[in-house]
Amino acid sequence: MNYQYILFDLDGTLTDPKVGITKSVAYALEKLNIEIVDYSKLDFFIGPPLQESFQAYYDLTEQQVNEAIGYYRERFQQHGLYENEVYPGIETLLETLKKKEKTLAVATSKPTIFAEKILQHFKLDQYFEVIVGSNLNGTRIAKADVIHEVLLQLSSPDKSEVIMIGDRKHDLIGAKKEGIANIGVLYGSVVKRNWH
């Protein structure tokens, strides 16, 4: 199938954010006096919404989740944003797709403002027509909602011409809910078993 509209997830797909995310999660948990017994669990914060991960892995109350996200962002916006690197070959891929006149977009669970800063930092923003993420107030965190907003901003293209590329089950589920095709990547810091 020759897709015209190609949506990319950010974390774990375009860039490897492991250091910045895991250090910021550790900072947040330490602020809440929560002992980190298994540091490998912190890798699971790459990709899904923070609210979901803090709840799932540390059984925090709603108030604690909000506090944890506040602490996370406190460190992330100062340091974590840039403790990140573009996966090898990504820029070449984006250049090639643009030369073929494909319409590219980013659909991420990360807040839009952070996604924009990261893409600007790595000079990747030039390749994308649309960059959409979650809102800082905790809304639009489900991947299906993010994808829906991307499609709206792209003037609602024919869904048979759209594909989502990501590294987590959230990308697959969101794409299916929105009725678009999807591809799962298996490289980088996110373990393969998370793509089901």
Side-chain angles (χ1 to χ4, degrees):
M1 184 68 183
N2 188 16
Y3 297 103
Q4 176 59 37
Y5 300 86
I6 305 172
L7 282 50
F8 288 89
D9 178 43
L10 177 57
D11 292 342
T13 303
L14 295 175
T15 67
D16 181 354
K18 179 175 179 175
V19 173
I21 289 177
T22 56
K23 283 189 173 182
S24 298
V25 169
Y27 174 83
L29 293 171
E30 286 164 11
K31 284 283 196 178
L32 291 175
N33 297 314
I34 295 172
E35 183 182 0
I36 303 168
V37 178
D38 182 1
Y39 275 83
S40 68
K41 265 191 177 181
L42 303 186
D43 289 357
F44 292 95
F45 280 79
I46 302 169
L50 287 172
Q51 291 93 327
E52 181 180 316
S53 297
F54 277 121
Q55 175 64 42
Y57 298 113
Y58 291 94
D59 197 27
L60 304 184
T61 65
E62 185 177 344
Q63 181 180 337
Q64 288 174 317
V65 167
N66 291 334
E67 287 177 24
I69 290 171
Y71 289 132
Y72 173 93
R73 288 180 178 161
E74 181 180 291
R75 185 193 183 279
F76 187 78
Q77 60 191 349
Q78 291 181 2
H79 307 288
L81 273 172
Y82 310 112
E83 294 170 324
N84 198 343
E85 60 185 51
V86 179
Y87 286 116
I90 287 296
E91 187 157 16
T92 301
L93 170 66
L94 298 176
E95 284 176 359
T96 302
L97 291 170
K98 286 304 280 186
K99 283 177 185 173
K100 292 181 181 244
E101 300 185 341
K102 301 298 183 181
T103 302
L104 309 182
V106 171
T108 175
S109 295
K110 186 181 291 303
T112 303
I113 188 170
F114 294 157
E116 290 172 341
K117 285 181 178 178
I118 290 166
L119 292 166
Q120 287 164 6
H121 175 73
F122 291 114
K123 298 181 172 56
L124 296 181
D125 57 313
Q126 61 182 309
Y127 299 108
F128 299 103
E129 297 298 318
V130 173
I131 299 167
V132 176
S134 60
N135 296 316
L136 285 172
N137 65 5
T139 58
R140 201 169 63 210
I141 60 171
K143 186 51 73 85
D145 294 340
V146 174
I147 293 170
H148 184 76
E149 180 61 25
V150 168
L151 297 178
L152 285 178
Q153 291 191 28
L154 291 174
S155 302
S156 302
D158 184 329
K159 290 185 179 180
S160 68
E161 297 184 358
V162 185
I163 190 164
M164 174 77 205
I165 300 173
D167 67 309
R168 290 280 191 161
K169 66 181 182 182
H170 303 78
D171 302 306
L172 170 69
I173 293 166
K176 282 189 172 180
K177 281 187 179 176
E178 280 299 305
I180 64 172
N182 56 80
I183 293 176
V185 302
L186 299 175
Y187 53 77
S189 64
V190 181
V191 290
K192 293 183 180 181
R193 69 174 177 271
N194 287 319
W195 181 262
H196 293 300

